[in-house]
Amino acid sequence: MRSVAIIGLGWFGLPLARDLRNLGWEVKGSKRTHEGVEEMRLWRLETYQLELTPEINADPDELHALLAVDSLVINLPPSDYFFDAHNYIQGIENLVNEALLYGVQHLIFISSSSVFPQADGIFNEQSPADENSTLYEIEQMLFQFDDIDVDILRFGGLIGNDRHPVYQMSGKSYPQGNSPVNLVHLEDCSRAVQLLLETPSGHRLYHLVAPQHPSRASYYSAVAKKLRIAPPNFDCSSQDPQRIIDGKKICDELDFVYQYPDPYLMINHP
């Protein structure tokens, strides 16, 4: 049986774990706290406590059980674990070095399209990223590992059936209403990870962003109306940045098909 460990069973990691288990994978995962571990075990997921400080804080036997897998998915957003970039980068590097000692053969790191500046342009995988970005620095570090397959997935703004940013935006005011959205549905992200796990092949970098990009003002106003909440208010200008993240490469190379190509399809009706 193919085996995978997901480091960070959060809002994305938990449904990913359940999807992979339903597909026949042996799935393990980690949480930072004892309470988090117990919560995951209620889902009948094999879960172990692990914290990066940036040292690896885990029971040695549990660490062995966690990392005795074929593949590793690292899903740890910087803000969740670390107070500074150095510790975050060092923690990820420590974890990968430890995984190599256990014979992990394939690594997937969940990154973000935030590696690109808020500027005009269409950004694909060949576009230069912000070299000061912590995530970009981690990406470059991970691609230095020659003896393991490494995939980097840069997610756009993540949307799920029970989670949409418009709820936090309701009634508030925002600039750049004419700028396009760069969103992706959680289910598409899970399917992309599944595809990469099934086809390890050297070092790869892919964007996960729905191919349609309505303006922020039109999109969030329409979503708020359908969800029957107060819409956010946007200042719109012809000078608003036209920043589009191109997510076609994974389609062209691996025949991936977005199930939610249109952000309007991501709305969970009340």
Side-chain angles (χ1 to χ4, degrees):
M1 180 184 294
R2 300 168 296 178
S3 56
V4 59
I6 301 171
I7 307 302
L9 291 173
W11 183 72
F12 173 65
L14 173 57
L16 173 64
R18 295 165 66 187
D19 289 344
L20 291 171
R21 186 173 61 182
N22 290 339
L23 290 171
W25 284 76
E26 177 188 355
V27 181
K28 307 175 185 181
S30 77
K31 292 288 285 186
R32 186 172 55 163
T33 66
H34 174 74
E35 292 76 15
V37 170
E38 292 303 311
E39 180 183 359
M40 291 302 102
R41 288 177 177 173
L42 292 176
W43 289 99
R44 298 184 179 179
L45 285 172
E46 184 178 342
T47 308
Y48 301 97
Q49 187 172 353
L50 180 146
E51 186 175 19
L52 304 177
T53 62
E55 290 74 23
I56 298 175
N57 291 333
D59 177 271
D61 291 337
E62 292 196 352
L63 185 64
H64 175 81
L66 175 65
L67 295 180
V69 291
D70 303 315
S71 302
L72 186 71
V73 177
I74 300 179
N75 177 46
L76 295 178
S79 59
D80 282 355
Y81 274 73
F82 299 96
F83 295 100
D84 63 72
H86 173 76
N87 280 349
Y88 179 59
I89 296 167
Q90 188 61 56
I92 299 298
E93 185 173 7
N94 290 343
L95 178 60
V96 174
N97 281 320
E98 192 73 16
L100 289 173
L101 295 177
Y102 283 91
V104 172
Q105 302 169 0
H106 185 197
L107 167 69
I108 298 176
F109 179 73
I110 305 302
S111 187
S112 168
S113 61
S114 65
V115 298
F116 294 112
Q118 295 292 329
D120 287 327
I122 297 176
F123 296 89
N124 60 30
E125 288 82 351
Q126 285 71 50
S127 302
D130 179 0
E131 295 185 357
N132 295 317
S133 164
T134 300
L135 286 172
Y136 179 70
E137 188 171 344
I138 288 177
E139 294 176 2
Q140 298 307 298
M141 178 266 292
L142 292 176
F143 279 148
Q144 299 304 310
F145 288 94
D146 295 327
D147 47 356
I148 184 173
D149 292 316
V150 177
D151 286 314
I152 308 293
L153 272 176
R154 291 173 176 165
F155 289 176
L158 197 56
I159 302 292
N161 289 335
D162 59 349
R163 175 169 166 173
H164 199 291
V166 75
Y167 287 107
Q168 285 71 45
M169 299 169 69
S170 177
K172 300 177 183 177
S173 297
Y174 295 91
Q176 300 180 353
N178 280 333
S179 294
V181 299
N182 293 281
L183 302 174
V184 65
H185 196 278
L186 180 148
E187 292 180 14
D188 279 328
C189 293
S190 180
R191 290 175 54 254
V193 171
Q194 296 164 28
L195 179 59
L196 296 184
L197 285 171
E198 292 166 357
T199 60
S201 180
H203 292 177
R204 300 178 293 188
L205 169 65
Y206 293 112
H207 294 168
L208 258 293
V209 179
Q212 297 186 32
H213 305 269
S215 73
R216 283 158 45 89
S218 61
Y219 176 68
Y220 287 112
S221 296
V223 172
K225 182 177 180 180
K226 289 193 175 183
L227 296 178
R228 301 172 187 169
I229 61 176
N233 301 304
F234 286 96
D235 290 328
C236 298
S237 167
S238 60
Q239 303 301 312
D240 290 344
Q242 297 301 297
R243 175 180 178 271
I244 291 179
I245 309 300
D246 184 347
K248 295 194 300 287
K249 180 184 175 185
I250 192 171
C251 305
D252 296 338
E253 292 189 356
L254 300 179
D255 295 326
F256 181 79
V257 177
Y258 287 94
Q259 299 301 302
Y260 295 86
D262 183 349
Y264 290 103
L265 299 176
M266 303 177 191
I267 302 171
N268 187 29
H269 293 267

